[in-house]
Amino acid sequence: MRTDPSTTTNRRRPLRAATAALLLAGTALAGAAAPGAAAAPTPASASAPASASTASLPPLDRTALCRVLADVPNEEVSGALVRISGSAGEFRATSGIADLRTGRPVPHRARFRIGSISKTFTAAVVLRLADRGEVDLDGTVQQYLPGGFPDVTVRQLLNHTHGIPGNTIPHKDPDWFFEHRYDVFDPREVVTGGLRGAGGREVFAPGSAQQYGNTGYLVAGLVVEAVTGRPYAEVLEEEVLRPAGLRHTSLPSGPELRGPHARGYEAVETADGTRYVDITEASPSLTWTAGGMVSTAADLDRFVTALFRGEVVPKEQLAEMFTVPDVWKHGAEGKEKASYSVGLTRYDIGGLTVWGKSGDRPGYNNGVGATEDLSRRLVYSVNTLHMGGAQPRTAERIIAAALVPSGSAPDPDACRGVNVARG
């Protein structure tokens, strides 16, 4: 295992207690736990684009949002960042600690590993190429990558109905991650490794069900490189990042996280107490076009705004991103319908429909979403202390506070200690 002593922090007390002195020195957060919030929405099924109705859009509840952030850091996350935009109100705030060694607070301009939100960018790249006739969404992968891949369509890659088995590398297991975090992976080998493990057979007949995973988007990245003859990162920059003005978004080639950021940690229990291992640095190659990107809240908000307005993907192709295939989720046939479109997920919260994408990498759990008319847009990132688990409760509470009426009375003291941006 590669371990750098300078990036490993040891603590013998819980995180909140261990950092109390640092917090009181200028980054103090409210110590009381926030009241419970409504559960976060779950993906909803749809087979066609939804209308952009905001009839149930609740007023922006700054009190509920601040109560969630005031409970950070906690035993689940070390830091948090929230950005809400749109005609229905704006809110930007951070809380928690960016660096356990110094107690530095989470910056508003923090960059973070966006994980599977990268899929939305990859989908946009492919759809732009499709608009120009360079990629046929109904064309098969074999047309672009002869040999070694099942005969599925490009559209099936992007909407998770391809049935190609995923690789079983335990990349969110702490022991595996500590040992392999700097390894460089070839995406083609990652995909073919999954196929070999399944005996070369699809999990289900292509187009008959939906199963979320990274594999389809790794293959989509390979298709982009095949049709353009250039590295995917260059195509991404030219097709999406530069035109949309995303100056702090990239698919890095190395393990460093450059620019202002909150560091990621993994809490490891030992006989002497809790040890916080700095896991900020890691190779993005394993998840590549499916989950390897870095961005900021401002850039993600700019991206989703431009995307939904048809400024990134032309309108005809954009319809693919608001269309969920009319199939069942694999393993839940007859019980749960598909919820993923090309690059996005549809969520129904009461009468409110939100389209977005979540994503995580060790140390980071994030989400971006918006109503189709962009009147409410949410971007959040929390720094997890336990990789590979369920979505952190803190993230669920942020989503609920942003999208579900709390019914609580405004509290002018709720934001005390939370780093709320002014102006």
Side-chain angles (χ1 to χ4, degrees):
M1 181 181 75
R2 176 175 174 177
T3 302
D4 181 354
S6 68
T7 60
T8 303
T9 303
N10 292 286
R11 295 288 183 269
R12 296 176 183 271
R13 294 168 290 166
L15 180 63
R16 182 176 288 278
T19 57
L22 293 173
L23 295 174
L24 291 172
T27 58
L29 304 179
T42 55
S45 304
S47 57
S51 62
S53 172
T54 58
S56 60
L57 185 65
L60 186 59
D61 193 338
R62 291 176 175 80
T63 294
L65 288 161
C66 282
R67 283 176 175 166
V68 177
L69 294 176
D71 194 36
V72 176
N74 52 48
E75 298 309 299
E76 183 182 49
V77 301
S78 55
L81 179 155
V82 175
R83 181 187 182 98
I84 296 176
S85 308
S87 59
E90 298 192 353
F91 175 85
R92 288 181 292 141
T94 67
S95 61
I97 305 168
D99 190 327
L100 293 181
R101 295 171 299 177
T102 65
R104 178 172 54 87
V106 176
H108 287 283
R109 298 182 297 113
R111 299 182 187 186
F112 47 89
R113 300 192 184 279
I114 67 174
S116 286
I117 299 172
S118 305
K119 293 181 175 70
T120 311
F121 287 86
T122 301
V125 170
V126 175
L127 291 174
R128 285 175 64 88
L129 296 177
D131 178 67
R132 297 201 298 268
E134 296 180 50
V135 171
D136 180 1
L137 295 180
D138 293 315
T140 67
V141 172
Q142 290 283 1
Q143 292 176 225
Y144 306 104
L145 302 168
F149 293 98
D151 203 22
V152 302
T153 70
V154 175
R155 180 182 284 104
Q156 288 167 347
L157 293 178
L158 298 177
N159 67 17
H160 304 284
T161 63
H162 52 80
I164 303 174
N167 200 304
T168 56
I169 293 173
H171 57 102
K172 294 181 183 179
D173 174 77
D175 290 337
W176 186 95
F177 180 85
F178 295 154
E179 182 68 26
H180 298 283
R181 59 192 286 192
Y182 296 104
D183 292 356
V184 176
F185 294 85
D186 182 319
R188 184 181 290 265
E189 293 181 359
V190 173
V191 175
T192 56
L195 280 165
R196 285 194 303 271
R201 297 184 301 274
E202 292 95 340
V203 178
F204 50 82
S208 66
Q210 185 176 77
Q211 184 176 57
Y212 180 81
N214 288 340
T215 298
Y217 278 77
L218 295 178
V219 179
L222 293 171
V223 169
V224 170
E225 291 193 332
V227 300
T228 63
R230 291 183 293 151
Y232 174 82
E234 290 184 10
V235 182
L236 171 69
E237 178 71 27
E238 181 177 307
E239 293 289 340
V240 175
L241 304 187
R242 194 180 304 130
L246 308 182
R247 296 184 296 112
H248 307 296
T249 303
S250 66
L251 176 57
S253 58
E256 298 84 6
L257 182 53
R258 303 184 185 279
H261 60 273
R263 304 194 70 81
Y265 297 92
E266 178 72 11
V268 178
E269 299 301 325
T270 70
D272 296 325
T274 304
R275 177 171 171 253
Y276 294 97
V277 181
D278 190 321
I279 57 173
T280 308
E281 294 187 355
S283 169
S285 61
L286 178 60
T287 55
W288 192 44
T289 51
M293 291 179 64
V294 169
S295 190
T296 66
D299 266 14
L300 289 177
D301 180 65
R302 180 189 293 269
F303 172 61
V304 76
T305 300
L307 181 68
F308 284 25
R309 286 177 176 168
E311 297 169 1
V312 176
V313 175
K315 292 286 188 179
E316 182 178 349
Q317 303 295 338
L318 184 61
E320 299 281 350
M321 304 189 81
F322 292 97
T323 303
V324 176
D326 187 17
V327 297
W328 299 102
K329 289 189 176 180
H330 177 62
E333 286 81 0
K335 298 179 181 178
E336 188 175 1
K337 296 289 285 188
S339 60
Y340 300 102
S341 64
V342 170
L344 295 173
T345 309
R346 173 176 165 147
Y347 299 89
D348 281 343
I349 308 102
L352 184 67
T353 297
V354 175
W355 293 87
K357 189 72 188 73
S358 60
D360 72 278
R361 292 306 298 145
Y364 302 87
N365 180 279
N366 329 281
V368 57
T371 55
E372 198 172 338
D373 66 357
L374 296 169
S375 58
R376 170 81 32 97
R377 309 189 301 275
L378 166 67
V379 182
Y380 71 86
S381 178
V382 299
N383 298 106
T384 60
L385 294 170
H386 305 281
M387 68 178 77
Q391 184 177 52
R393 175 63 175 158
T394 299
E396 292 180 351
R397 293 175 62 203
I398 288 171
I399 296 168
L403 300 173
V404 181
S406 70
S408 60
D411 180 359
D413 294 325
C415 292
R416 182 174 299 169
V418 175
N419 185 15
V420 180
R422 307 298 178 187

